[in-house]
Amino acid sequence: MTAHHTDTTAVGAPSPTAEASGTWTLGDRTVRRMGFGAMRLPQTGEALVEHAVPRDRDQAIAVLRGAVELGVNHIDTAAFYFSPLRSANELINSALAPGGRYPDDLVITTKVGPARDASGAWAAHARTPRALRAQVEENLRQLGRDHLDVVNLRIVGPDPVAERFGALAELREAGLIRHLGLSNVRPEHLEEARRIAPVVCVQNMYGIGVRPEDEAFVRRCGELGVAFVPFYAIAAGGREKGAASAEPAEVLTVARAHGASPSQVRLAWTLHQGPHLLAIPGTGDPAHLAANVAAGGLRLSAEDLALLDSAHRAPVRRAASDRSR
């Protein structure tokens, strides 16, 4: 795999686009490092709950088209991203392939493993080759594609992934999937999967103050040429509910210095962790979309990064202090 990282104009240029974030190559597809996550698109408020309030369809369509107009060419989605009346995949299909054809440079990443029934309630994870193939085919149907650009196997727990990843590798050989990735995994899962088929990305929860103990894993992915794609980089501990807790003083200090929002600082910090870091912030609000994309052009100084790294590692320091008592 060949990786590319390019720096472009700093924040402050007129109408910042995703080009400012630089690029990375997923397998044979080049994506801009500032992408878009579709989890929040089907509803307003908390995602992935049974009784979510469906988002206005026209607004959702406008946000997707706006993302592409701002240069975003990497969209993260899943068949289990839905609310009553709204499906992220169907919205993507309707917004971005109205004539049956997606933009040539658009890369859509989806994931399989988790399952929800028609009511929105969570069901057992897909663990068999048959169940995983059914999920792949459902994503193909909803997106209106004859193949999926990237499919992440999302898992829960420490169990080996060889059988499940092997099933997806067979679908890759059959032409239904172009590239494979992993989500919510540990270092041993990545090594196990790489013995079966190439892995182009790892999608794990990560951000300022979130899982600082995973720094070595983030670096390892970069050494292997594997993209690291944090989810909840803005929401952090708020997870599906969105950002909720008060921001650390360090984040607020850097935000003030740059005339930026804390969310923009969090996204910029993500991209500064290495050329293989890709951001996939999600929103259903056009103004938030523009602000997220603009964060790809925010250049943090060494002093900024030292301050933010201090906030990032604070949970580890607290844990060590607690253990020493």
Side-chain angles (χ1 to χ4, degrees):
M1 181 195 307
T2 302
H4 302 287
H5 173 234
T6 55
D7 287 329
T8 54
T9 57
V11 79
S15 303
T17 71
E19 292 182 3
S21 64
T23 61
W24 177 266
T25 303
L26 284 174
D28 62 348
R29 304 299 307 277
T30 299
V31 298
R32 296 185 182 103
R33 296 175 65 215
M34 183 61 72
F36 178 82
M39 184 188 74
R40 303 201 181 280
L41 205 57
Q43 70 288 307
T44 61
E46 186 173 357
L48 307 179
V49 293
E50 293 180 46
H51 305 296
V53 178
R55 185 177 301 280
D56 178 81
R57 180 177 175 79
D58 290 342
Q59 183 188 45
I61 294 289
V63 165
L64 284 165
R65 290 176 177 167
V68 172
E69 289 168 3
L70 287 170
V72 170
N73 68 345
H74 175 215
I75 294 179
D76 176 81
T77 187
F80 57 88
Y81 288 174
F82 65 86
S83 68
L85 307 180
R86 301 285 180 265
S87 154
N89 282 352
E90 186 276 326
L91 290 167
I92 291 168
N93 189 350
S94 297
L96 304 181
R101 183 180 177 86
Y102 286 94
D104 290 339
D105 70 336
L106 182 65
V107 174
I108 299 176
T109 297
T110 188
K111 61 189 71 63
V112 294
R116 298 169 72 195
D117 65 24
S119 74
W122 289 103
H125 266 235
R127 299 184 66 89
T128 66
R130 181 177 180 180
L132 289 165
R133 181 178 183 116
Q135 289 193 350
V136 167
E137 291 176 346
E138 181 65 7
N139 277 282
L140 287 167
R141 184 189 68 78
Q142 293 178 2
L143 290 166
R145 303 289 297 270
D146 60 6
H147 74 278
L148 299 172
D149 296 321
V150 182
V151 173
N152 288 321
L153 173 64
R154 180 172 174 82
I155 71 164
V156 173
D159 292 349
V161 299
E163 181 180 8
R164 286 170 283 174
F165 195 77
L168 296 181
E170 291 180 3
L171 297 181
R172 174 176 171 268
E173 291 296 321
L176 298 183
I177 300 171
R178 193 162 187 152
H179 299 296
L180 296 173
L182 295 165
S183 178
N184 202 42
V185 294
R186 306 178 184 193
E188 58 268 27
H189 292 135
L190 175 58
E191 301 303 330
E192 183 184 5
R194 291 180 69 245
R195 291 193 288 269
I196 297 169
V199 177
V200 301
C201 57
V202 164
Q203 188 183 102
N204 274 16
M205 186 172 174
Y206 194 67
I208 295 175
V210 178
R211 295 185 181 173
E213 65 276 10
D214 285 357
E215 284 182 350
F217 188 27
V218 174
R219 289 196 301 271
R220 176 60 176 161
C221 287
E223 293 166 358
L224 294 172
V226 174
F228 191 90
V229 190
F231 56 84
Y232 302 145
I234 294 177
R239 300 173 66 93
E240 295 91 345
K241 296 180 181 179
S245 58
E247 288 286 1
E250 296 89 344
V251 173
L252 295 174
T253 297
V254 174
R256 284 193 296 268
H258 288 272
S261 70
S263 294
Q264 288 178 311
V265 169
R266 284 181 172 274
L267 290 172
W269 180 88
T270 294
L271 296 178
H272 278 73
Q273 298 313 296
H276 65 299
L277 273 285
L278 307 181
I280 50 168
T283 183
D285 183 286
H288 290 167
L289 169 68
N292 289 344
V293 171
L298 180 58
R299 302 291 179 248
L300 301 177
S301 68
E303 292 77 12
D304 294 332
L305 290 170
L307 199 59
L308 296 172
D309 288 347
S310 175
H312 177 54
R313 298 189 179 107
V316 173
R317 292 196 300 272
R318 285 196 296 267
S321 175
D322 290 345
R323 287 195 298 270
S324 66
R325 290 174 183 172

